[in-house]
Amino acid sequence: MKNLMVTGGAGFIGSNFVRYMLGKHPEYNVLVYDKLTYAGNLDNLLEVAGDACYSFVRGDICDAAAVTEAMQAHQIDTVVNFAAETHVDRSIMDPDAFIMTDVYGTYTLLEVARRLGVERYHQISTDEVYGHIEGDHRSQETDNLAPRSPYAASKASGDLMVLAYYVTYGLPVTLTRGANNVGPYQYPEKVIPLFVTNAIDNQALPVYGDGKQRRDYQYVIDHCEGIDVVLQRGKPGEVYNVGTGSEMENLRMVEILLDELGKPASLIQHVEDRPGHDRRYCLNVDKLRALGWQPGYTHEEAIRATVRWYAANEWWWRKIKSGEFKEYYRRLYGDRKVISAT
Ligand code: NAD
Ligand code: DAU
């Protein structure tokens, strides 16, 4: 591995991964290939813009000719695919782009990777492909996929195509399925950046339903490290879960967030739930631990570190929240029924 193409590298996790890889492996060249959708932002990559090992190409993963040209020009031997439509609520409102990018785009990348004969194709996937998890079970990599939102279904389709390319064509693929990431540069549609930035401005925090849904909030750098470990030591054809292996109720996450900011619980507003909302995700991460990886942050440490970053980086999120975001916010939350205010 020498020349990596990181698709979706201008998004939240992708940009953290690029920074992480350039810092950890100064011998690698990293090409970011990104369409710069509403979620892609070159501000996320400002810290590496002057690095001689970093380059950027604007392009769509659905465009086979453009992907081929970028890969050939940069002699790419490894593809790490973060590019996706990623927000569940947007997938419920407008599923189309999810099918295009997360399914057709993944297929396009696989096909170019196969034709050019890369050393490794790595797919970034999500715990949402396992669907809502009952009881105290922790999803294992061999569990059936049971996606329940258009986003999760599009990601599960991508996963199946990646595995089919391994079986059918022998393409050396690996996959990681990550839990809910938190950290710097996450677009403020996702719950933690949305709630921190609303709270800073003393606006209501719209908690869906009873707020007792359970998520594994993991720090983004732990996820990046896990992906790197799989690139170095993972076995082709294999899937690896990445999370902390534990879970937290959303209301507890909100309590920590408000405490870190010194803001009152009266900002919490329970609103009509997300349709088909998965109540619980929880991953078994033993397979990745067996490769020598372990998470460095607890949920609480991850949430507090994230809150502090948003509090210190208003230059980054105020621009975003003042743009087309306002229309999105009105559409999703404007007429939403308020159930109760705490
Ligand atoms: P994000 O929405 O912040 O960024 C997505 C990036 O992909 C953006 O830079 C966007 O411009 C780019 N992109 C979208 N469509 C594209 C296309 N057709 N061609 C090229 N680029 C395109 O996403 P994120 O939260 O950083 O998630 C990255 C990956 O990790 C996704 O595959 C997601 O499914 C997965 N994942 C996310 C989480 C999470 O908690 N955020 C957890 C597990 C897995
Ligand atoms: O689990 C991994 C997934 O995590 C990733 O694959 C997705 O790309 C990522 O968006 C995230 O999905 P979630 O739906 O879990 O994340 P979100 O931040 O949208 O919501 C987290 C929890 O908070 C979820 O239970 C819904 C709830 N929520 C969310 C929003 C936006 C609210 O209560 N209110 C909100 O306004």
Side-chain angles (χ1 to χ4, degrees):
M1 179 163 59
K2 168 132 182 55
N3 298 324
L4 273 81
M5 180 163 88
V6 179
T7 54
F12 161 47
I13 310 175
S15 62
N16 279 284
F17 180 73
V18 168
R19 238 182 333 276
Y20 172 85
M21 291 301 272
L22 288 169
K24 176 98 188 287
H25 302 286
E27 71 281 16
Y28 294 170
N29 296 307
V30 177
L31 165 68
V32 170
Y33 181 92
D34 197 297
K35 185 178 173 181
L36 297 181
T37 66
Y38 77 94
N41 184 351
L42 289 178
D43 280 354
N44 301 0
L45 292 162
L46 280 178
E47 286 157 280
V48 298
D51 190 318
C53 295
Y54 160 80
S55 39
F56 177 81
V57 169
R58 185 171 191 177
D60 189 332
I61 60 165
C62 299
D63 182 344
V67 171
T68 305
E69 193 184 323
M71 284 180 63
Q72 284 179 326
H74 292 263
Q75 298 180 301
I76 297 300
D77 52 52
T78 303
V79 176
V80 184
N81 179 31
F82 290 89
E85 290 292 334
T86 60
H87 192 41
V88 174
D89 292 311
R90 287 190 196 250
S91 85
I92 294 167
M93 292 192 290
D94 299 308
D96 203 66
F98 288 74
I99 311 306
M100 275 314 290
T101 292
D102 304 10
V103 184
Y104 186 76
T106 297
Y107 151 74
T108 304
L109 285 177
L110 287 165
E111 194 51 26
V112 176
R114 175 175 84 88
R115 275 195 282 106
L116 298 184
V118 299
E119 275 172 34
R120 178 70 69 85
Y121 175 95
H122 184 82
Q123 178 78 354
I124 306 299
S125 185
T126 166
D127 58 4
E128 301 212 6
V129 300
Y130 298 117
H132 160 71
I133 309 303
E134 292 288 349
D136 56 7
H137 178 66
R138 296 198 165 122
S139 302
Q140 292 194 283
E141 291 83 351
T142 47
D143 285 356
N144 284 338
L145 304 190
R148 290 156 32 100
S149 71
Y151 163 68
S154 71
K155 290 297 290 184
S157 308
D159 284 18
L160 295 177
M161 193 60 79
V162 171
L163 292 169
Y165 267 66
Y166 174 72
V167 173
T168 309
Y169 304 111
L171 185 71
V173 307
T174 40
L175 286 97
T176 41
R177 295 191 178 132
N180 281 66
N181 280 229
V182 301
Y185 303 108
Q186 185 170 34
Y187 192 86
E189 65 194 350
K190 306 292 183 341
V191 72
I192 290 186
L194 178 70
F195 283 13
V196 183
T197 56
N198 277 12
I200 288 172
D201 286 344
N202 299 312
Q203 284 174 5
L205 314 187
V207 170
Y208 292 163
D210 61 7
K212 293 186 189 299
Q213 306 85 6
R214 302 177 78 83
R215 293 290 185 274
D216 177 352
Y217 291 103
Q218 72 168 330
Y219 202 56
V220 64
I221 295 304
D222 282 335
H223 187 192
C224 295
E225 221 166 7
I227 296 162
D228 187 24
V229 166
V230 172
L231 287 174
Q232 310 294 335
R233 301 198 282 281
K235 203 168 145 232
E238 294 292 320
V239 179
Y240 299 85
N241 290 337
V242 195
T244 69
S246 58
E247 56 196 293
M248 174 181 272
E249 264 189 12
N250 282 339
L251 280 178
R252 173 68 188 137
M253 172 274 287
V254 176
E255 198 177 284
I256 294 168
L257 184 155
L258 289 172
D259 177 67
E260 187 63 35
L261 286 173
K263 294 282 182 177
S266 55
L267 289 176
I268 297 172
Q269 191 172 62
H270 290 265
V271 298
E272 192 179 357
D273 208 348
R274 172 188 278 172
H277 195 167
D278 289 336
R279 294 287 291 180
R280 176 175 181 262
Y281 302 134
C282 194
L283 291 172
N284 177 315
V285 294
D286 291 350
K287 190 171 170 184
L288 184 55
R289 280 181 181 277
L291 294 185
W293 167 91
Q294 57 175 26
Y297 288 74
T298 62
H299 294 144
E300 182 160 349
E301 288 164 349
I303 294 163
R304 289 188 185 278
T306 303
V307 172
R308 287 194 295 272
W309 187 87
Y310 281 87
N313 288 279
E314 296 198 11
W315 70 273
W316 182 81
W317 58 263
R318 285 214 182 270
K319 271 193 252 182
I320 297 173
K321 280 192 110 175
S322 65
E324 71 94 38
F325 184 86
K326 282 190 173 166
E327 180 47 35
Y328 159 78
Y329 200 80
R330 249 193 309 276
R331 207 175 147 205
L332 188 65
Y333 299 97
D335 296 329
R336 208 166 190 128
K337 203 166 124 205
V338 175
I339 303 169
S340 73
T342 317

